[in-house]
Amino acid sequence: MATAKQIVLPIVVLAAGIGTFAVLASMKKPPQEKPVVDNTPVVAVDIIDKDPMTFTVNSYGIVNAKYETELVSQVSGEIVYLSDAFVRGGLVKKGQILAKIDPSDYEAALIDAKATVASAKATLVQEKAYGKVAAEEWKRIENGTPTELSLRKPQLAQEVARLNSSEAGLKRATRNLERTVIKAPYDALIESRHIGLGSYVSTGTQLGKLLSTEKAEIRLPLPDKEIRYLDNKGLGAQVIVSGNFAGEQKTWRGQIVRSEGVIDNRSRMTYLVAEVIDPYGLRDNKQPLRYGSYITASIHGSQAQNVTTIARHLVVNDRVAIMTPENTLAFRTVDILRQQGTQVVIGEGLEDGMRLITSALDYPIEGMKLALASDKQEPAEDEAVVQQLAMEDKE
């Protein structure tokens, strides 16, 4: 039989526990409600702006002279004169004297040829007179028939031939004397000189090499697929030539004048030839485009209307992602006209004002809701203002 103490004591302990729990429960703060989280993907966009575009095709090459000439001696003799300009790197004008060969023997040959011509002319005059005399004598003979020999016609023909031969010899002697003076055939840059003062040269001896300064040519290799971006296959197209001069980037203007018409067996490239007028700037004192320079060339190509350029990685399977006016995701099939490095030129498929999505989407589903970063920032700013006002009221 339990005593009263045994019954009351557990009740007291239980009541104390309940009271303590009630006190602690009354001191505990209620859990704060969590704000609703907006999981709408935030994207970055670019506004499409379509404009006309002129395509350019890039290439490279080495500058060369359009005309190169090996100066060769046409007569033999000793070099008795050399021009100061006839040195490597010298600039000379058309007709300028570069060197002279001893003309003594050729002057004597010319005098001899002139004497031979004079003698032949005198003999011809004498023979013509003999022929007239013979003809007059045969007129007095009534029953005789003159022959060509009796009229001295063969002798006259022989003297005419002798005069022609002597005149040819005179021309040869005159030409040989002229060839003792070596002249520049055109405005040129001296690339090399192989003779010195007092040197003896014979017919065929190389004297030096000249490079024309009137026009420069540059062979520009192009992949066959790039030709389609040029009007008239590039013929007549303007070219901007760029290169370094004294450590600075310089540009010159040129024009495509021809195509070599074949594909190179090794590089599988088509070669267009660009021409630059007055590369050394001798007429207008412009920056010289030196022969042997390595240059890059930008060829003006065809023009396209209403195109836009976007990053290449944004196009997947010929489709791009856009943000519709309702702020949803949509895909558009586009027509790629050309790839330019990390960019592609788009013709059809995009319109002015469209919002092109430029940021990555983890799980893109057409029609999914999207948001812009600017849209997300406005509510945050409003909430910050509300919190600030609440803190001011408490103070």
Side-chain angles (χ1 to χ4, degrees), residues 112-154:
D112 187 48
K114 288 180 179 179
T116 302
V117 171
S119 176
K121 286 181 178 180
T123 304
L124 179 60
V125 171
Q126 187 178 18
E127 189 57 45
K128 286 180 179 180
Y130 289 154
K132 287 182 180 181
V133 171
E136 291 295 330
E137 290 179 350
W138 276 102
K139 286 180 180 180
R140 297 173 188 165
I141 302 175
E142 296 179 355
N143 298 324
T145 302
T147 63
E148 289 189 354
L149 182 61
S150 62
L151 294 177
R152 301 188 67 87
K153 289 185 178 180

Side-chain angles (χ1 to χ4, degrees), residues 1 25 28 33 38 47 56 89 101 118 120 149 152 174 187 194 224 234 242 257 260-261 263 274 296 323 326 341 386:
M1 186 85 182
K28 183 178 180 182
E33 294 183 0
D38 186 1
I47 306 300
T56 58
I101 298 172
L149 182 61
R152 301 188 67 87
T174 303
D187 293 350
H194 307 311
D224 194 61
S242 303
V257 293
E260 294 190 352
I263 297 178
T296 57
M323 188 175 185
E326 294 77 22
V386 172

Side-chain angles (χ1 to χ4, degrees), residues 27 36 62 113 124 135 176 206 214 257 311 316 320 336 344:
M27 295 175 64
V36 178
I62 297 176
L124 179 60
N176 287 339
Q206 289 189 352
E214 181 182 2
V257 293
V316 180
V320 296
I336 300 177
V344 288

Side-chain angles (χ1 to χ4, degrees), residues 58-166:
N58 297 322
S59 188
Y60 56 89
I62 297 176
V63 183
N64 294 301
K66 183 172 184 178
Y67 301 112
E68 300 181 3
T69 301
E70 287 282 356
L71 286 180
V72 176
S73 173
Q74 294 177 289
V75 295
S76 301
E78 180 185 355
I79 300 296
V80 295
Y81 169 80
L82 283 177
S83 170
D84 293 337
F86 192 23
V87 292
R88 183 178 178 86
L91 293 170
V92 296
K93 294 290 186 180
K94 180 179 180 180
Q96 183 173 342
I97 296 175
L98 305 180
K100 292 182 180 179
I101 298 172
D102 185 5
S104 303
D105 293 341
Y106 301 99
E107 290 172 345
L110 179 61
I111 294 172
D112 187 48
K114 288 180 179 179
T116 302
V117 171
S119 176
K121 286 181 178 180
T123 304
L124 179 60
V125 171
Q126 187 178 18
E127 189 57 45
K128 286 180 179 180
Y130 289 154
K132 287 182 180 181
V133 171
E136 291 295 330
E137 290 179 350
W138 276 102
K139 286 180 180 180
R140 297 173 188 165
I141 302 175
E142 296 179 355
N143 298 324
T145 302
T147 63
E148 289 189 354
L149 182 61
S150 62
L151 294 177
R152 301 188 67 87
K153 289 185 178 180
Q155 293 88 331
L156 180 61
Q158 182 178 8
E159 293 304 325
V160 171
R162 187 175 297 166
L163 176 60
N164 291 337
S165 176
S166 60

